[in-house]
Amino acid sequence: MKSLINKINKILISKFGVPNRNAAEMDPVDVLIATILSQNTTDKNSYKAYKNLKANFKNWNEVASAKQKTIEQNIRIGGLAKQKAKSIKIILNELLKQKGKVTLDYLKKLPNDEVVSELVKFNGVGVKTASCVLLFSLNRDVCPVDTHVHRTANRIGLVKTKSPEKTFELLNKNLPAGAAHSFHTNLIKLGRDICKSGRPLCTICPLFKICTYAEKNMHSISKVTKNDFLLLDNV
Ligand code: SF4
């Protein structure tokens, strides 16, 4: 599977480019909260919700002591505000209680599996969120698996799994060194723009030749809309 991942990674890089990576290491608490806010919403709305929190509170300590209703109002645009506000408040207060301040810096010394075990103890944090913290703030070579990565990896034929957790386990066991960030980011792009959930645009897909799903789901070129091509021109 490793050589196939390598091949797919190269094809996607030649199509979409090497994804930007923030030179500065992102704070793990920032990534954790941003990832919780990104659940079940668009990037645009979760980013606005995150920005509201950053703009309206001095720091995470202040969010921890804010009323849940106030947090909810700030993140409403990202949906599931009540649930997310509750998780965020519990996590921040738990960190305050355990560490004396809101910090996840202690994770930097731990191996990947221990980081995941530590994070999934928190209400509202699953393996996907924990692996985003690993990849985006601790700079570890781990590929988080969201709905797009799970769907595309199965369609392409990299895995045959029923759950994102199993996909995560198999992909990460076979991930070539240094591939995680581009592979994760570009598979999401593929899933959003081409290998869409209801209507995969196989005829314009860069993985058409190696994808095992292509023949079963051939969509004639006539079904590819002008917008699909415009969208591809802009990637
Ligand atoms: S060929 Fe079709 S099913 Fe396969 S990855 Fe591309 S869009 Fe998805």
Side-chain angles (χ1 to χ4, degrees), residues 152 155-156 190 194-195 200-202 205 207-208 211 213-214 217:
T152 53
R155 281 182 178 167
I156 294 163
L190 180 84
I194 300 176
C195 192
L201 305 173
C202 302
C205 178
L207 301 177
F208 181 80
C211 174
Y213 196 67
N217 286 276

